[in-house]
Amino acid sequence: QVQVAESGGGSVKAGESLSLSCTDSGPQSRVQCMAWFRQTPGKGRERVVGVFTPSHIRGRSFYSDSVKGRFTVSLENAKNTMHLQMDNLLPEDTGTYICATGRYCNNGYPAESSDTSWGQGTQVTVSS
């Protein structure tokens, strides 16, 4: 059974940095894209960044406008492991960050599909 596990997160002040990691324990061939979503009570689940994993387009990423220039996603070679470096954090970045991996993708984000796997999420809190 595929498991997606996140690590990292925590509480910081505005302007500081955090990093998150996500690992999919399933076969590398199953995963075509990986993504971070952010869930908050007021906005629900929103996209943060999605990235393709196949070798010919590996690393091609799509950021939400709200994090462009501040967040950087990276992939480890030959693994279903993704890192997210979050710099210059803002209070509005607060939320539960959830990793998703998928076989089917829309613009780098896993599609709504039974082949998409989700992590439990990790909390990021940014105070002003």
Side-chain angles (χ1 to χ4, degrees):
Q1 184 174 351
V2 173
Q3 290 187 331
V4 175
E6 304 103 335
S7 61
S11 297
V12 297
K13 294 183 178 179
E16 296 183 343
S17 299
L18 279 174
S19 61
L20 306 178
S21 296
C22 170
T23 296
D24 181 303
S25 64
Q28 188 175 6
S29 60
R30 184 195 73 84
V31 177
Q32 300 298 300
C33 56
M34 303 179 74
W36 288 102
F37 293 81
R38 177 168 64 207
Q39 188 150 0
T40 58
K43 295 184 179 181
R45 182 185 292 169
E46 56 181 342
R47 293 178 171 183
V48 175
V49 60
V51 60
F52 283 113
T53 60
S55 58
H56 64 292
I57 51 172
R58 189 171 181 84
R60 185 178 179 189
S61 55
F62 302 83
Y63 293 89
S64 72
D65 288 342
S66 65
V67 305
K68 279 180 183 176
R70 300 187 298 118
F71 290 13
T72 304
V73 69
S74 61
L75 298 171
E76 286 193 20
N77 288 334
K79 293 181 181 179
N80 292 337
T81 298
M82 170 178 64
H83 303 288
L84 183 65
Q85 177 66 34
M86 304 183 294
D87 296 321
N88 191 21
L89 282 160
L90 304 172
E92 48 263 46
D93 294 321
T94 295
T96 301
Y97 283 69
I98 303 170
C99 178
T101 67
R103 182 192 297 273
Y104 305 107
C105 310
N106 291 323
N107 289 333
Y109 289 87
E112 292 292 334
S113 163
S114 58
D115 286 316
T116 292
S117 298
W118 297 86
Q120 295 296 308
T122 185
Q123 180 67 30
V124 171
T125 303
V126 185
S127 59
S128 57

